[in-house]
Amino acid sequence: MVSDLTFMQRALALAAPGVGRTGENPSVGCVIVRDGMIVGEGATAIGGRPHAEHVALARSGDEAIGADVYVTLEPCASRSVPGTACADLLIQARVARVIVGARDPHPHANGAGLERLRAAGIAIETGVMAEEARAQNAGFFAKWDVR
């Protein structure tokens, strides 16, 4: 059976080419897995939009229902257009579990994305390859992480 680490490694690999090319946003990778098979994947687009979750969900369609989602950073909880935050889209897609590399310190996430997913009954696992996820977007974390 393929492990959570394998799918998170794939998400990190998807994000890698975008590092430093996503504007103010971090470069994030997202892999959607159902029954052990990848059904959708994506990365933050050059310039920062769309986010990785948007791309992966668009590619997976209804295959996202009941799926596991591997995302290198916590899904955002707030966007300028209501209902388009990544956490909201994952809830609407009816995914079963979200596995997160690192918590996102930006005010549009910072735990709120995870809380929203939990409140919707989605299982959450955090800290899978967190060091790698943080290192991949070191500049983003240097700006926003005040711990």
Side-chain angles (χ1 to χ4, degrees), residues 26 39 44 66 72 74 78 83 106 114 117 125 136 139 145:
V39 296
T44 306
T72 57
E74 170 188 0
S78 176
H106 190 279
L114 297 175
L117 293 168
E125 185 173 341
Q136 188 170 61
D145 200 354

Side-chain angles (χ1 to χ4, degrees), residues 5 8 12 71-73 99-103 125-138 141 147:
L5 290 177
M8 188 60 75
L12 287 162
V71 62
T72 57
L73 259 64
I99 302 91
V100 175
R103 187 169 164 168
E125 185 173 341
T126 60
V128 176
M129 300 188 73
E131 283 185 33
E132 293 86 346
R134 289 177 61 82
Q136 188 170 61
N137 285 290
F141 278 94
R147 55 180 170 128

Side-chain angles (χ1 to χ4, degrees), residues 31-44:
V31 176
I32 301 175
V33 177
R34 184 169 171 185
D35 299 325
M37 301 292 295
I38 295 174
V39 296
E41 59 183 23
T44 306

